[in-house]
Amino acid sequence: LKVRSHFGSRQWHTGQASPVCFDAVMTAMVSERDVDMTFGGPQAIRIPLGHPPVVFAVPGSRDLVDQTLGHLRWQQGACAFKTFDNGEVSVKLEQSVANRDVFVVCARDDGETEVNLSLMRLMLLIDAIRGEAPYRVTIVLPCLEYARQDRRVVAGEAIPPKLLLRCMRTAGADRFLTMDLHNQAEAAFSPAGAVLDELSADRYIAHFIRTTIADFDQDRFLVCATNGGGM
């Protein structure tokens, strides 16, 4: 697993690629010092004493969180989301997170929740967690929303992904974990004092294609995209 960390521009390897793309997110949710991985497969995950991990999920992230918890055997955090009659949303923690290593997963599911509503719920959840004295807050974003608007095409346009990361940092996030940024330059959008780790799914996708397509022959199959960025 190759992780690109944009806080000091370091890179490291933590082991062999897993068959499923989401395994990249699962494994990288623990820091380099907490994972013992070999080319023979994952070994026991070491948790720093005094900072037990807990994973919270924004509505729409259920599938990814279930896979993550099944892989890591960590505890799922308890929280409640409510929507008022006027459309405003509310978030309430239902457990203590004091001195905990907190992970908040926000995966995109357009069939369950609208993206802007999901982001507002995420902001409120981060703020609620930060108010309860956690050890660290890591935001897991398999897809960094608004990432395609990463530059000004014409004068007067905003740069939403930069604003989004800054807002999450203000709410209380310490670290961001995402995959395959639309533009590598977005690594510089990470707010001061925060860490942005970017994972690459290339090997996982290649493995999935090789093992899923019947009679796969690399000399006969071609992977295409609508543009260079899609590759």
PDB file of all heavy atoms in Angstrom, residues 164-203:
ATOM      1  N   LEU A 164     -13.342  23.989   1.603  1.00  0.00           N
ATOM      2  CA  LEU A 164     -13.892  22.865   2.347  1.00  0.00           C
ATOM      3  C   LEU A 164     -12.899  22.335   3.377  1.00  0.00           C
ATOM      4  O   LEU A 164     -13.253  22.106   4.541  1.00  0.00           O
ATOM      5  CB  LEU A 164     -14.296  21.754   1.372  1.00  0.00           C
ATOM      6  CG  LEU A 164     -14.841  20.472   1.988  1.00  0.00           C
ATOM      7  CD1 LEU A 164     -16.090  20.754   2.807  1.00  0.00           C
ATOM      8  CD2 LEU A 164     -15.144  19.447   0.895  1.00  0.00           C
ATOM      9  N   LEU A 165     -11.657  22.143   2.967  1.00  0.00           N
ATOM     10  CA  LEU A 165     -10.637  21.660   3.897  1.00  0.00           C
ATOM     11  C   LEU A 165     -10.403  22.661   5.026  1.00  0.00           C
ATOM     12  O   LEU A 165     -10.236  22.277   6.193  1.00  0.00           O
ATOM     13  CB  LEU A 165      -9.330  21.395   3.155  1.00  0.00           C
ATOM     14  CG  LEU A 165      -9.330  20.214   2.180  1.00  0.00           C
ATOM     15  CD1 LEU A 165      -8.054  20.201   1.360  1.00  0.00           C
ATOM     16  CD2 LEU A 165      -9.496  18.898   2.933  1.00  0.00           C
ATOM     17  N   ARG A 166     -10.411  23.950   4.688  1.00  0.00           N
ATOM     18  CA  ARG A 166     -10.211  24.979   5.708  1.00  0.00           C
ATOM     19  C   ARG A 166     -11.362  24.985   6.715  1.00  0.00           C
ATOM     20  O   ARG A 166     -11.141  25.156   7.923  1.00  0.00           O
ATOM     21  CB  ARG A 166     -10.052  26.344   5.037  1.00  0.00           C
ATOM     22  CG  ARG A 166      -9.550  27.433   5.976  1.00  0.00           C
ATOM     23  CD  ARG A 166      -9.062  28.645   5.211  1.00  0.00           C
ATOM     24  NE  ARG A 166     -10.125  29.313   4.482  1.00  0.00           N
ATOM     25  CZ  ARG A 166     -10.142  29.439   3.155  1.00  0.00           C
ATOM     26  NH1 ARG A 166      -9.165  28.925   2.423  1.00  0.00           N
ATOM     27  NH2 ARG A 166     -11.134  30.066   2.550  1.00  0.00           N
ATOM     28  N   CYS A 167     -12.583  24.795   6.216  1.00  0.00           N
ATOM     29  CA  CYS A 167     -13.743  24.765   7.117  1.00  0.00           C
ATOM     30  C   CYS A 167     -13.680  23.564   8.061  1.00  0.00           C
ATOM     31  O   CYS A 167     -13.989  23.679   9.255  1.00  0.00           O
ATOM     32  CB  CYS A 167     -15.038  24.724   6.304  1.00  0.00           C
ATOM     33  SG  CYS A 167     -15.463  26.267   5.484  1.00  0.00           S
ATOM     34  N   MET A 168     -13.286  22.410   7.534  1.00  0.00           N
ATOM     35  CA  MET A 168     -13.174  21.219   8.383  1.00  0.00           C
ATOM     36  C   MET A 168     -12.076  21.380   9.416  1.00  0.00           C
ATOM     37  O   MET A 168     -12.200  20.925  10.558  1.00  0.00           O
ATOM     38  CB  MET A 168     -12.943  19.975   7.520  1.00  0.00           C
ATOM     39  CG  MET A 168     -14.170  19.538   6.728  1.00  0.00           C
ATOM     40  SD  MET A 168     -13.975  17.925   5.920  1.00  0.00           S
ATOM     41  CE  MET A 168     -12.848  18.371   4.593  1.00  0.00           C
ATOM     42  N   ARG A 169     -10.983  22.036   9.023  1.00  0.00           N
ATOM     43  CA  ARG A 169      -9.911  22.296   9.975  1.00  0.00           C
ATOM     44  C   ARG A 169     -10.398  23.232  11.084  1.00  0.00           C
ATOM     45  O   ARG A 169     -10.106  23.020  12.266  1.00  0.00           O
ATOM     46  CB  ARG A 169      -8.711  22.915   9.239  1.00  0.00           C
ATOM     47  CG  ARG A 169      -7.580  23.377  10.139  1.00  0.00           C
ATOM     48  CD  ARG A 169      -7.009  22.247  10.967  1.00  0.00           C
ATOM     49  NE  ARG A 169      -5.877  22.689  11.770  1.00  0.00           N
ATOM     50  CZ  ARG A 169      -5.400  22.022  12.807  1.00  0.00           C
ATOM     51  NH1 ARG A 169      -5.952  20.873  13.165  1.00  0.00           N
ATOM     52  NH2 ARG A 169      -4.360  22.481  13.473  1.00  0.00           N
ATOM     53  N   THR A 170     -11.147  24.254  10.704  1.00  0.00           N
ATOM     54  CA  THR A 170     -11.698  25.182  11.688  1.00  0.00           C
ATOM     55  C   THR A 170     -12.662  24.466  12.631  1.00  0.00           C
ATOM     56  O   THR A 170     -12.702  24.750  13.840  1.00  0.00           O
ATOM     57  CB  THR A 170     -12.424  26.334  10.980  1.00  0.00           C
ATOM     58  OG1 THR A 170     -11.495  27.045  10.148  1.00  0.00           O
ATOM     59  CG2 THR A 170     -13.021  27.312  11.991  1.00  0.00           C
ATOM     60  N   ALA A 171     -13.416  23.519  12.095  1.00  0.00           N
ATOM     61  CA  ALA A 171     -14.367  22.771  12.927  1.00  0.00           C
ATOM     62  C   ALA A 171     -13.662  21.862  13.920  1.00  0.00           C
ATOM     63  O   ALA A 171     -14.232  21.523  14.961  1.00  0.00           O
ATOM     64  CB  ALA A 171     -15.299  21.949  12.035  1.00  0.00           C
ATOM     65  N   GLY A 172     -12.412  21.459  13.604  1.00  0.00           N
ATOM     66  CA  GLY A 172     -11.677  20.649  14.567  1.00  0.00           C
ATOM     67  C   GLY A 172     -10.918  19.471  13.999  1.00  0.00           C
ATOM     68  O   GLY A 172     -10.368  18.667  14.755  1.00  0.00           O
ATOM     69  N   ALA A 173     -10.842  19.326  12.675  1.00  0.00           N
ATOM     70  CA  ALA A 173     -10.137  18.192  12.075  1.00  0.00           C
ATOM     71  C   ALA A 173      -8.624  18.374  12.195  1.00  0.00           C
ATOM     72  O   ALA A 173      -8.107  19.477  12.036  1.00  0.00           O
ATOM     73  CB  ALA A 173     -10.536  18.038  10.609  1.00  0.00           C
ATOM     74  N   ASP A 174      -7.911  17.271  12.466  1.00  0.00           N
ATOM     75  CA  ASP A 174      -6.454  17.288  12.550  1.00  0.00           C
ATOM     76  C   ASP A 174      -5.804  16.659  11.325  1.00  0.00           C
ATOM     77  O   ASP A 174      -4.658  16.977  10.987  1.00  0.00           O
ATOM     78  CB  ASP A 174      -5.976  16.515  13.787  1.00  0.00           C
ATOM     79  CG  ASP A 174      -6.509  17.105  15.074  1.00  0.00           C
ATOM     80  OD1 ASP A 174      -6.270  18.302  15.309  1.00  0.00           O
ATOM     81  OD2 ASP A 174      -7.169  16.376  15.849  1.00  0.00           O
ATOM     82  N   ARG A 175      -6.513  15.729  10.687  1.00  0.00           N
ATOM     83  CA  ARG A 175      -5.918  14.951   9.604  1.00  0.00           C
ATOM     84  C   ARG A 175      -6.990  14.612   8.587  1.00  0.00           C
ATOM     85  O   ARG A 175      -8.150  14.367   8.943  1.00  0.00           O
ATOM     86  CB  ARG A 175      -5.297  13.665  10.167  1.00  0.00           C
ATOM     87  CG  ARG A 175      -4.657  12.732   9.147  1.00  0.00           C
ATOM     88  CD  ARG A 175      -4.279  11.411   9.804  1.00  0.00           C
ATOM     89  NE  ARG A 175      -3.725  10.458   8.862  1.00  0.00           N
ATOM     90  CZ  ARG A 175      -3.732   9.140   9.038  1.00  0.00           C
ATOM     91  NH1 ARG A 175      -4.256   8.630  10.135  1.00  0.00           N
ATOM     92  NH2 ARG A 175      -3.211   8.340   8.122  1.00  0.00           N
ATOM     93  N   PHE A 176      -6.598  14.578   7.296  1.00  0.00           N
ATOM     94  CA  PHE A 176      -7.513  14.221   6.222  1.00  0.00           C
ATOM     95  C   PHE A 176      -6.956  13.018   5.471  1.00  0.00           C
ATOM     96  O   PHE A 176      -5.750  12.954   5.202  1.00  0.00           O
ATOM     97  CB  PHE A 176      -7.709  15.387   5.250  1.00  0.00           C
ATOM     98  CG  PHE A 176      -8.182  16.653   5.910  1.00  0.00           C
ATOM     99  CD1 PHE A 176      -7.306  17.686   6.174  1.00  0.00           C
ATOM    100  CD2 PHE A 176      -9.506  16.803   6.291  1.00  0.00           C
ATOM    101  CE1 PHE A 176      -7.728  18.847   6.788  1.00  0.00           C
ATOM    102  CE2 PHE A 176      -9.948  17.961   6.908  1.00  0.00           C
ATOM    103  CZ  PHE A 176      -9.046  18.989   7.162  1.00  0.00           C
ATOM    104  N   LEU A 177      -7.837  12.097   5.129  1.00  0.00           N
ATOM    105  CA  LEU A 177      -7.457  10.898   4.392  1.00  0.00           C
ATOM    106  C   LEU A 177      -8.364  10.787   3.174  1.00  0.00           C
ATOM    107  O   LEU A 177      -9.582  10.672   3.313  1.00  0.00           O
ATOM    108  CB  LEU A 177      -7.607   9.656   5.283  1.00  0.00           C
ATOM    109  CG  LEU A 177      -7.270   8.308   4.667  1.00  0.00           C
ATOM    110  CD1 LEU A 177      -5.802   8.256   4.249  1.00  0.00           C
ATOM    111  CD2 LEU A 177      -7.574   7.186   5.661  1.00  0.00           C
ATOM    112  N   THR A 178      -7.775  10.860   1.980  1.00  0.00           N
ATOM    113  CA  THR A 178      -8.569  10.814   0.760  1.00  0.00           C
ATOM    114  C   THR A 178      -7.882   9.934  -0.268  1.00  0.00           C
ATOM    115  O   THR A 178      -6.790   9.402  -0.027  1.00  0.00           O
ATOM    116  CB  THR A 178      -8.809  12.233   0.210  1.00  0.00           C
ATOM    117  OG1 THR A 178      -9.740  12.190  -0.871  1.00  0.00           O
ATOM    118  CG2 THR A 178      -7.505  12.868  -0.258  1.00  0.00           C
ATOM    119  N   MET A 179      -8.524   9.788  -1.441  1.00  0.00           N
ATOM    120  CA  MET A 179      -7.975   8.926  -2.490  1.00  0.00           C
ATOM    121  C   MET A 179      -7.965   9.647  -3.829  1.00  0.00           C
ATOM    122  O   MET A 179      -8.934  10.305  -4.203  1.00  0.00           O
ATOM    123  CB  MET A 179      -8.815   7.642  -2.623  1.00  0.00           C
ATOM    124  CG  MET A 179      -8.796   6.749  -1.408  1.00  0.00           C
ATOM    125  SD  MET A 179      -9.682   5.207  -1.661  1.00  0.00           S
ATOM    126  CE  MET A 179      -8.638   4.434  -2.902  1.00  0.00           C
ATOM    127  N   ASP A 180      -6.852   9.506  -4.552  1.00  0.00           N
ATOM    128  CA  ASP A 180      -6.736   9.951  -5.938  1.00  0.00           C
ATOM    129  C   ASP A 180      -7.338  11.339  -6.172  1.00  0.00           C
ATOM    130  O   ASP A 180      -8.400  11.474  -6.789  1.00  0.00           O
ATOM    131  CB  ASP A 180      -7.395   8.925  -6.875  1.00  0.00           C
ATOM    132  CG  ASP A 180      -6.616   7.620  -6.910  1.00  0.00           C
ATOM    133  OD1 ASP A 180      -5.370   7.679  -6.946  1.00  0.00           O
ATOM    134  OD2 ASP A 180      -7.241   6.552  -6.898  1.00  0.00           O
ATOM    135  N   LEU A 181      -6.653  12.338  -5.688  1.00  0.00           N
ATOM    136  CA  LEU A 181      -7.109  13.712  -5.890  1.00  0.00           C
ATOM    137  C   LEU A 181      -7.247  14.031  -7.375  1.00  0.00           C
ATOM    138  O   LEU A 181      -6.491  13.517  -8.211  1.00  0.00           O
ATOM    139  CB  LEU A 181      -6.122  14.688  -5.257  1.00  0.00           C
ATOM    140  CG  LEU A 181      -6.078  14.700  -3.718  1.00  0.00           C
ATOM    141  CD1 LEU A 181      -4.894  15.526  -3.230  1.00  0.00           C
ATOM    142  CD2 LEU A 181      -7.375  15.236  -3.150  1.00  0.00           C
ATOM    143  N   HIS A 182      -8.206  14.866  -7.690  1.00  0.00           N
ATOM    144  CA  HIS A 182      -8.423  15.255  -9.083  1.00  0.00           C
ATOM    145  C   HIS A 182      -7.197  15.942  -9.659  1.00  0.00           C
ATOM    146  O   HIS A 182      -6.899  15.823 -10.855  1.00  0.00           O
ATOM    147  CB  HIS A 182      -9.637  16.190  -9.161  1.00  0.00           C
ATOM    148  CG  HIS A 182      -9.972  16.649 -10.538  1.00  0.00           C
ATOM    149  ND1 HIS A 182      -9.680  17.923 -10.994  1.00  0.00           N
ATOM    150  CD2 HIS A 182     -10.562  15.999 -11.573  1.00  0.00           C
ATOM    151  CE1 HIS A 182     -10.092  18.040 -12.247  1.00  0.00           C
ATOM    152  NE2 HIS A 182     -10.618  16.898 -12.621  1.00  0.00           N
ATOM    153  N   ASN A 183      -6.471  16.650  -8.810  1.00  0.00           N
ATOM    154  CA  ASN A 183      -5.277  17.368  -9.232  1.00  0.00           C
ATOM    155  C   ASN A 183      -4.263  17.283  -8.087  1.00  0.00           C
ATOM    156  O   ASN A 183      -4.595  17.590  -6.942  1.00  0.00           O
ATOM    157  CB  ASN A 183      -5.622  18.825  -9.549  1.00  0.00           C
ATOM    158  CG  ASN A 183      -4.445  19.593 -10.112  1.00  0.00           C
ATOM    159  OD1 ASN A 183      -3.286  19.231  -9.930  1.00  0.00           O
ATOM    160  ND2 ASN A 183      -4.739  20.690 -10.791  1.00  0.00           N
ATOM    161  N   GLN A 184      -3.041  16.842  -8.397  1.00  0.00           N
ATOM    162  CA  GLN A 184      -2.031  16.723  -7.346  1.00  0.00           C
ATOM    163  C   GLN A 184      -1.752  18.049  -6.652  1.00  0.00           C
ATOM    164  O   GLN A 184      -1.307  18.085  -5.510  1.00  0.00           O
ATOM    165  CB  GLN A 184      -0.741  16.161  -7.934  1.00  0.00           C
ATOM    166  CG  GLN A 184      -0.821  14.688  -8.296  1.00  0.00           C
ATOM    167  CD  GLN A 184      -1.055  13.825  -7.075  1.00  0.00           C
ATOM    168  OE1 GLN A 184      -0.354  13.944  -6.068  1.00  0.00           O
ATOM    169  NE2 GLN A 184      -2.062  12.976  -7.130  1.00  0.00           N
ATOM    170  N   ALA A 185      -2.029  19.152  -7.342  1.00  0.00           N
ATOM    171  CA  ALA A 185      -1.802  20.466  -6.741  1.00  0.00           C
ATOM    172  C   ALA A 185      -2.711  20.697  -5.540  1.00  0.00           C
ATOM    173  O   ALA A 185      -2.437  21.552  -4.696  1.00  0.00           O
ATOM    174  CB  ALA A 185      -2.016  21.563  -7.780  1.00  0.00           C
ATOM    175  N   GLU A 186      -3.801  19.920  -5.444  1.00  0.00           N
ATOM    176  CA  GLU A 186      -4.716  20.079  -4.319  1.00  0.00           C
ATOM    177  C   GLU A 186      -4.072  19.694  -2.998  1.00  0.00           C
ATOM    178  O   GLU A 186      -4.586  20.024  -1.926  1.00  0.00           O
ATOM    179  CB  GLU A 186      -5.979  19.250  -4.550  1.00  0.00           C
ATOM    180  CG  GLU A 186      -6.867  19.771  -5.658  1.00  0.00           C
ATOM    181  CD  GLU A 186      -8.073  18.883  -5.891  1.00  0.00           C
ATOM    182  OE1 GLU A 186      -7.897  17.663  -6.068  1.00  0.00           O
ATOM    183  OE2 GLU A 186      -9.192  19.416  -5.890  1.00  0.00           O
ATOM    184  N   ALA A 187      -2.950  18.994  -3.060  1.00  0.00           N
ATOM    185  CA  ALA A 187      -2.232  18.661  -1.826  1.00  0.00           C
ATOM    186  C   ALA A 187      -1.841  19.917  -1.067  1.00  0.00           C
ATOM    187  O   ALA A 187      -1.777  19.926   0.160  1.00  0.00           O
ATOM    188  CB  ALA A 187      -0.998  17.833  -2.153  1.00  0.00           C
ATOM    189  N   ALA A 188      -1.614  20.993  -1.807  1.00  0.00           N
ATOM    190  CA  ALA A 188      -1.221  22.254  -1.167  1.00  0.00           C
ATOM    191  C   ALA A 188      -2.397  22.951  -0.496  1.00  0.00           C
ATOM    192  O   ALA A 188      -2.202  23.943   0.200  1.00  0.00           O
ATOM    193  CB  ALA A 188      -0.595  23.189  -2.209  1.00  0.00           C
ATOM    194  N   PHE A 189      -3.602  22.436  -0.689  1.00  0.00           N
ATOM    195  CA  PHE A 189      -4.782  23.039  -0.071  1.00  0.00           C
ATOM    196  C   PHE A 189      -4.898  22.691   1.409  1.00  0.00           C
ATOM    197  O   PHE A 189      -5.724  23.260   2.120  1.00  0.00           O
ATOM    198  CB  PHE A 189      -6.051  22.578  -0.786  1.00  0.00           C
ATOM    199  CG  PHE A 189      -6.188  23.096  -2.195  1.00  0.00           C
ATOM    200  CD1 PHE A 189      -7.151  22.581  -3.044  1.00  0.00           C
ATOM    201  CD2 PHE A 189      -5.360  24.085  -2.668  1.00  0.00           C
ATOM    202  CE1 PHE A 189      -7.279  23.045  -4.347  1.00  0.00           C
ATOM    203  CE2 PHE A 189      -5.475  24.565  -3.973  1.00  0.00           C
ATOM    204  CZ  PHE A 189      -6.438  24.040  -4.802  1.00  0.00           C
ATOM    205  N   SER A 190      -4.110  21.735   1.876  1.00  0.00           N
ATOM    206  CA  SER A 190      -4.200  21.325   3.277  1.00  0.00           C
ATOM    207  C   SER A 190      -3.913  22.504   4.192  1.00  0.00           C
ATOM    208  O   SER A 190      -2.882  23.178   4.065  1.00  0.00           O
ATOM    209  CB  SER A 190      -3.196  20.201   3.555  1.00  0.00           C
ATOM    210  OG  SER A 190      -3.282  19.779   4.905  1.00  0.00           O
ATOM    211  N   PRO A 191      -4.816  22.795   5.132  1.00  0.00           N
ATOM    212  CA  PRO A 191      -4.621  23.946   6.024  1.00  0.00           C
ATOM    213  C   PRO A 191      -3.389  23.782   6.907  1.00  0.00           C
ATOM    214  O   PRO A 191      -2.934  22.663   7.160  1.00  0.00           O
ATOM    215  CB  PRO A 191      -5.907  23.959   6.862  1.00  0.00           C
ATOM    216  CG  PRO A 191      -6.885  23.127   6.103  1.00  0.00           C
ATOM    217  CD  PRO A 191      -6.081  22.094   5.392  1.00  0.00           C
ATOM    218  N   ALA A 192      -2.870  24.885   7.379  1.00  0.00           N
ATOM    219  CA  ALA A 192      -1.706  24.858   8.265  1.00  0.00           C
ATOM    220  C   ALA A 192      -2.014  24.047   9.513  1.00  0.00           C
ATOM    221  O   ALA A 192      -3.075  24.182  10.115  1.00  0.00           O
ATOM    222  CB  ALA A 192      -1.313  26.284   8.645  1.00  0.00           C
ATOM    223  N   GLY A 193      -1.081  23.185   9.884  1.00  0.00           N
ATOM    224  CA  GLY A 193      -1.236  22.379  11.082  1.00  0.00           C
ATOM    225  C   GLY A 193      -1.992  21.093  10.878  1.00  0.00           C
ATOM    226  O   GLY A 193      -2.119  20.293  11.813  1.00  0.00           O
ATOM    227  N   ALA A 194      -2.500  20.840   9.670  1.00  0.00           N
ATOM    228  CA  ALA A 194      -3.246  19.614   9.381  1.00  0.00           C
ATOM    229  C   ALA A 194      -2.442  18.737   8.426  1.00  0.00           C
ATOM    230  O   ALA A 194      -1.585  19.214   7.683  1.00  0.00           O
ATOM    231  CB  ALA A 194      -4.606  19.939   8.771  1.00  0.00           C
ATOM    232  N   VAL A 195      -2.727  17.444   8.447  1.00  0.00           N
ATOM    233  CA  VAL A 195      -2.055  16.475   7.586  1.00  0.00           C
ATOM    234  C   VAL A 195      -3.043  15.996   6.534  1.00  0.00           C
ATOM    235  O   VAL A 195      -4.187  15.660   6.860  1.00  0.00           O
ATOM    236  CB  VAL A 195      -1.533  15.270   8.399  1.00  0.00           C
ATOM    237  CG1 VAL A 195      -0.859  14.259   7.478  1.00  0.00           C
ATOM    238  CG2 VAL A 195      -0.567  15.729   9.477  1.00  0.00           C
ATOM    239  N   LEU A 196      -2.611  15.946   5.271  1.00  0.00           N
ATOM    240  CA  LEU A 196      -3.436  15.416   4.192  1.00  0.00           C
ATOM    241  C   LEU A 196      -2.745  14.193   3.608  1.00  0.00           C
ATOM    242  O   LEU A 196      -1.678  14.308   3.000  1.00  0.00           O
ATOM    243  CB  LEU A 196      -3.654  16.470   3.104  1.00  0.00           C
ATOM    244  CG  LEU A 196      -4.353  15.980   1.825  1.00  0.00           C
ATOM    245  CD1 LEU A 196      -5.752  15.470   2.149  1.00  0.00           C
ATOM    246  CD2 LEU A 196      -4.414  17.094   0.788  1.00  0.00           C
ATOM    247  N   ASP A 197      -3.327  13.015   3.819  1.00  0.00           N
ATOM    248  CA  ASP A 197      -2.793  11.769   3.268  1.00  0.00           C
ATOM    249  C   ASP A 197      -3.622  11.372   2.061  1.00  0.00           C
ATOM    250  O   ASP A 197      -4.853  11.240   2.161  1.00  0.00           O
ATOM    251  CB  ASP A 197      -2.840  10.642   4.305  1.00  0.00           C
ATOM    252  CG  ASP A 197      -1.802  10.829   5.409  1.00  0.00           C
ATOM    253  OD1 ASP A 197      -0.727  11.388   5.104  1.00  0.00           O
ATOM    254  OD2 ASP A 197      -2.061  10.427   6.546  1.00  0.00           O
ATOM    255  N   GLU A 198      -2.960  11.158   0.930  1.00  0.00           N
ATOM    256  CA  GLU A 198      -3.637  10.751  -0.296  1.00  0.00           C
ATOM    257  C   GLU A 198      -3.246   9.323  -0.649  1.00  0.00           C
ATOM    258  O   GLU A 198      -2.064   8.997  -0.746  1.00  0.00           O
ATOM    259  CB  GLU A 198      -3.278  11.682  -1.453  1.00  0.00           C
ATOM    260  CG  GLU A 198      -3.958  11.290  -2.755  1.00  0.00           C
ATOM    261  CD  GLU A 198      -3.316  11.956  -3.964  1.00  0.00           C
ATOM    262  OE1 GLU A 198      -2.304  12.675  -3.779  1.00  0.00           O
ATOM    263  OE2 GLU A 198      -3.823  11.737  -5.075  1.00  0.00           O
ATOM    264  N   LEU A 199      -4.240   8.472  -0.839  1.00  0.00           N
ATOM    265  CA  LEU A 199      -4.003   7.092  -1.243  1.00  0.00           C
ATOM    266  C   LEU A 199      -4.187   6.954  -2.745  1.00  0.00           C
ATOM    267  O   LEU A 199      -4.945   7.708  -3.358  1.00  0.00           O
ATOM    268  CB  LEU A 199      -4.976   6.148  -0.536  1.00  0.00           C
ATOM    269  CG  LEU A 199      -5.109   6.282   0.979  1.00  0.00           C
ATOM    270  CD1 LEU A 199      -6.071   5.236   1.513  1.00  0.00           C
ATOM    271  CD2 LEU A 199      -3.756   6.153   1.645  1.00  0.00           C
ATOM    272  N   SER A 200      -3.528   5.969  -3.336  1.00  0.00           N
ATOM    273  CA  SER A 200      -3.688   5.677  -4.753  1.00  0.00           C
ATOM    274  C   SER A 200      -4.357   4.321  -4.907  1.00  0.00           C
ATOM    275  O   SER A 200      -3.947   3.325  -4.293  1.00  0.00           O
ATOM    276  CB  SER A 200      -2.327   5.667  -5.458  1.00  0.00           C
ATOM    277  OG  SER A 200      -2.473   5.255  -6.802  1.00  0.00           O
ATOM    278  N   ALA A 201      -5.400   4.262  -5.736  1.00  0.00           N
ATOM    279  CA  ALA A 201      -6.147   3.024  -5.944  1.00  0.00           C
ATOM    280  C   ALA A 201      -5.717   2.290  -7.212  1.00  0.00           C
ATOM    281  O   ALA A 201      -6.336   1.293  -7.582  1.00  0.00           O
ATOM    282  CB  ALA A 201      -7.647   3.332  -6.019  1.00  0.00           C
ATOM    283  N   ASP A 202      -4.648   2.747  -7.874  1.00  0.00           N
ATOM    284  CA  ASP A 202      -4.256   2.168  -9.156  1.00  0.00           C
ATOM    285  C   ASP A 202      -4.064   0.653  -9.075  1.00  0.00           C
ATOM    286  O   ASP A 202      -4.585  -0.102  -9.898  1.00  0.00           O
ATOM    287  CB  ASP A 202      -2.971   2.822  -9.658  1.00  0.00           C
ATOM    288  CG  ASP A 202      -3.164   4.290 -10.005  1.00  0.00           C
ATOM    289  OD1 ASP A 202      -4.329   4.740  -9.987  1.00  0.00           O
ATOM    290  OD2 ASP A 202      -2.166   4.984 -10.268  1.00  0.00           O
ATOM    291  N   ARG A 203      -3.301   0.213  -8.094  1.00  0.00           N
ATOM    292  CA  ARG A 203      -3.005  -1.218  -8.003  1.00  0.00           C
ATOM    293  C   ARG A 203      -4.249  -2.033  -7.673  1.00  0.00           C
ATOM    294  O   ARG A 203      -4.417  -3.150  -8.143  1.00  0.00           O
ATOM    295  CB  ARG A 203      -1.935  -1.463  -6.934  1.00  0.00           C
ATOM    296  CG  ARG A 203      -0.550  -0.948  -7.319  1.00  0.00           C
ATOM    297  CD  ARG A 203       0.476  -1.386  -6.290  1.00  0.00           C
ATOM    298  NE  ARG A 203       1.824  -0.960  -6.651  1.00  0.00           N
ATOM    299  CZ  ARG A 203       2.907  -1.265  -5.936  1.00  0.00           C
ATOM    300  NH1 ARG A 203       2.783  -1.983  -4.824  1.00  0.00           N
ATOM    301  NH2 ARG A 203       4.093  -0.851  -6.324  1.00  0.00           N
TER     302      ARG A 203
END
